[in-house]
Amino acid sequence: MITFFVIGLTVHVVFFISIFDIYFTSPLVHGMTPHSTPLEPPASRLVLVVADGLRADSLFTLLPNGSSRTPYLRSIIEDKGTWGVSHTRVPTESRPGHVALIAGFYEDVSAVAKGWKENPVEFDSVFNESRHTWCWGSPDILPMFAKGASGDHVYTHTYPAVEEDFASTDASKLDSWVFTQVKSFFKSAQSNSTLKASLWEDKNVFFLHLLGIDTNGHAHRPMSQEYLDNIGLVDAGVAEVVSIIEDFFDNDGRTAYVFTSDHGMTNWGSHGAGHPSETLTPLVAWGAGIQKAKGVTEPQPYNDGFLQDWKLEHLRRVDVSQVNCIKGVLPLLYLNNSERFKAESMYTNAIQVLEQFKMKMMQKKETTLSFLFTPYQYNMNLLFTVISLCQSLISRSLEGLVYYHTYDRFFLGCSVVLGFVGWTSYVVLVILKTHASLNRHPNLTKQMHSVNLQ
Ligand SMILES: [Zn+2]
């Protein structure tokens, strides 16, 4: 009887653990060759601001009197940038939200088991690929990106976790702390030549993590004055930081700005599930390489009523999925660049995703018995599209081939013509010279005459 009980328990434990192996495995693939776009990027640096727990409607909705509680960001949407809703996935928590934004994939749910602070799998991130990244914010979020970074180039500035209490009376102090730190950082860089030189290098990222709105939302709910006032404080802080950064870099027009949020919040101050108040987050991007939202001529492809609610019908809305890197598709409508740049970037994006597919297939094939392995079946329409794309790629490439094959033809033709003209001229000159010399010596002619006469 005891044996039966032990076997039964073991079977149940194995079945239970198998759930984690089947559903909660990391979607990440390792070992691909990285690809990049060969063209000059439009920005030298990125400033990423994440207002933790900020709902899309809380940012975009106007006050009853028609003004905005975020006048700075509203003016950016109106005049300088592109905006939209960034759709997050469940669980709407800080860690997976930030991983989706910064590393570009939906995180392994087993991260829960590790307390959401340790990285369950090694992953690459924008910060890791940057030359330098400076981050300011919560000790719950920043360390996980610094830890995975190869090399010592991700610098985190956090308030000590135990001292988070300094904001217990007013959580917006967490955000004021970040803005103050960023301001003094750029001020000190003015008199620190080493730091100044690093800041002027390309591929730099500045990340501001603002936890105040989230904390106020949990404590007082999103309709509270505390939550709404905190949004206003963040708007003013962003305005000030942008002006400091622009001054520091002499308004060189090489800074790109992205303002977004990791997840929203329900009316009763919670998040984690899939209600629209939790999954709809705002996205505003502006600066180097970013398109302006103006000039909407055709009706916008959104019928959720938000454009009317937010009085933004006249500005082009571009929604994205929060994951926009490894698992995502480049949101072309955000880019203000040449068609060539967009084409090259799209191509890189496609190749990168294809690399993952090939690597995943290879790994699966290696670990599966060959007679059990069923390869992925492509859709017939896709195959027809691939055939026609390849045909057009071949004919374009053949044209290009002819272009380079005959590249020197004009130059060589000209050289030959000029050479021949030169040679002909030389010959003519020699002939003329010879004839001229016959007539130029009258004495010689006279002598010859006299010789003939004798
Ligand atoms: Zn959060």
Side-chain angles (χ1 to χ4, degrees):
M1 198 61 196
I2 292 175
T3 323
F4 178 75
F5 178 75
V6 171
I7 293 173
L9 188 70
T10 317
V11 167
H12 280 87
V13 167
V14 168
F15 280 173
F16 179 74
I17 293 172
S18 71
I19 300 287
F20 287 91
D21 257 354
I22 296 167
Y23 291 105
F24 298 157
T25 54
S26 166
L28 278 194
V29 188
H30 292 92
M32 292 88 59
T33 319
H35 292 269
S36 58
T37 308
L39 302 175
E40 167 84 3
S44 299
R45 61 198 80 88
L46 166 72
V47 178
L48 171 64
V49 183
V50 177
D52 205 304
L54 173 60
R55 287 161 56 146
D57 61 343
S58 304
L59 177 73
F60 295 131
T61 307
L62 294 176
L63 295 168
N65 66 10
S67 67
S68 172
R69 69 170 52 88
T70 57
Y72 179 71
L73 288 169
R74 187 78 184 191
S75 74
I76 292 290
I77 296 170
E78 296 271 353
D79 306 322
K80 287 187 176 174
T82 299
W83 71 283
V85 174
S86 169
H87 299 261
T88 75
R89 248 177 49 165
V90 183
T92 44
E93 294 288 351
S94 294
R95 188 190 156 109
H98 282 87
V99 170
L101 286 168
I102 295 159
F105 71 100
Y106 295 115
E107 202 182 23
D108 192 340
V109 185
S110 67
V112 180
K114 297 208 179 185
W116 298 58
K117 283 190 185 178
E118 292 295 309
N119 297 339
V121 283
E122 280 309 308
F123 58 79
D124 199 6
S125 70
V126 177
F127 295 175
N128 191 37
E129 293 296 324
S130 70
R131 193 179 303 283
H132 306 280
T133 295
W134 288 271
C135 326
W136 295 267
S138 160
D140 300 335
I141 293 295
L142 305 193
M144 70 187 185
F145 294 105
K147 210 176 169 188
S150 55
D152 193 13
H153 62 287
V154 178
Y155 319 105
T156 56
H157 304 82
T158 62
Y159 29 85
V162 284
E163 285 178 27
E164 251 177 72
D165 287 347
F166 74 84
S168 58
T169 48
D170 177 9
S172 66
K173 280 183 188 164
L174 296 170
D175 301 344
S176 310
W177 183 92
V178 169
F179 291 129
T180 311
Q181 292 286 315
V182 175
K183 279 183 265 179
S184 64
F185 171 79
F186 278 99
K187 201 172 178 190
S188 70
Q190 291 290 9
S191 51
N192 178 341
S193 56
T194 326
L195 179 59
K196 197 174 182 179
S198 319
L199 287 171
W200 271 95
E201 283 178 297
D202 62 349
K203 291 195 205 167
N204 282 343
V205 178
F206 304 92
F207 171 45
L208 283 66
H209 173 243
L210 308 170
L211 192 60
I213 295 172
D214 182 75
T215 314
N216 265 322
H218 288 307
H220 309 283
R221 302 186 179 185
M223 301 306 158
S224 67
Q225 207 52 48
E226 286 85 352
Y227 184 88
L228 299 173
D229 286 350
N230 200 154
I231 298 173
L233 178 140
V234 163
D235 182 68
V238 170
E240 200 178 349
V241 162
V242 169
S243 110
I244 284 168
I245 291 176
E246 287 299 317
D247 282 350
F248 184 89
F249 292 108
D250 304 335
N251 293 298
D252 67 350
R254 300 278 303 168
T255 313
Y257 298 90
V258 174
F259 178 90
T260 187
S261 145
D262 55 345
H263 53 77
M265 192 168 277
T266 59
N267 285 349
W268 50 94
S270 71
H271 57 79
H275 189 267
S277 59
E278 295 161 276
T279 59
L280 304 182
T281 64
L283 173 62
V284 183
W286 70 101
I290 311 279
Q291 189 65 266
K292 289 178 186 170
K294 286 200 161 173
V296 175
T297 46
E298 67 259 34
Q300 303 213 56
Y302 300 97
N303 51 16
D304 47 21
F306 292 143
L307 286 165
Q308 294 76 22
D309 291 353
W310 301 336
K311 309 268 186 298
L312 286 167
E313 298 109 308
H314 58 299
L315 298 168
R316 186 173 51 195
R317 167 178 163 192
V318 186
D319 280 17
V320 299
S321 135
Q322 192 178 45
V323 162
N324 259 305
C325 175
I326 299 172
K327 297 275 177 207
V329 182
L330 188 67
L332 282 184
L333 290 172
Y334 274 87
L335 303 188
N336 174 22
N337 213 314
S338 65
E339 293 310 310
R340 162 100 200 276
F341 185 89
K342 290 180 195 170
E344 288 272 8
S345 306
M346 216 52 206
Y347 174 73
T348 311
N349 191 179
I351 291 291
Q352 197 96 47
V353 175
L354 180 67
E355 280 277 348
Q356 290 186 74
F357 166 76
K358 288 201 286 195
M359 185 58 82
K360 193 91 180 170
M361 184 180 69
M362 208 183 73
Q363 286 170 355
K364 195 42 61 189
K365 208 171 175 178
E366 274 173 7
T367 54
T368 311
L369 291 171
S370 56
F371 65 94
L372 288 178
F373 182 74
T374 322
Y376 173 72
Q377 295 296 318
Y378 287 100
N379 175 299
M380 276 313 237
N381 286 336
L382 173 75
L383 295 178
F384 291 136
T385 316
V386 169
I387 290 171
S388 90
L389 272 176
C390 287
Q391 281 168 339
S392 101
L393 180 65
I394 289 169
S395 61
R396 292 294 93 74
S397 302
L398 286 173
E399 278 171 27
L401 206 63
V402 170
Y403 171 79
Y404 283 115
H405 183 68
T406 56
Y407 193 81
D408 293 327
R409 201 170 268 182
F410 180 74
F411 171 75
L412 290 175
C414 288
S415 307
V416 168
V417 168
L418 286 174
F420 191 72
V421 168
W423 167 245
T424 318
S425 318
Y426 178 69
V427 169
V428 169
L429 217 68
V430 167
I431 292 171
L432 286 176
K433 218 171 174 181
T434 319
H435 281 280
S437 67
L438 286 176
N439 300 327
R440 208 180 287 152
H441 298 286
N443 291 341
L444 189 70
T445 329
K446 269 182 188 167
Q447 278 173 11
M448 283 169 80
H449 272 288
S450 57
V451 169
N452 280 347
L453 287 169
Q454 283 168 4

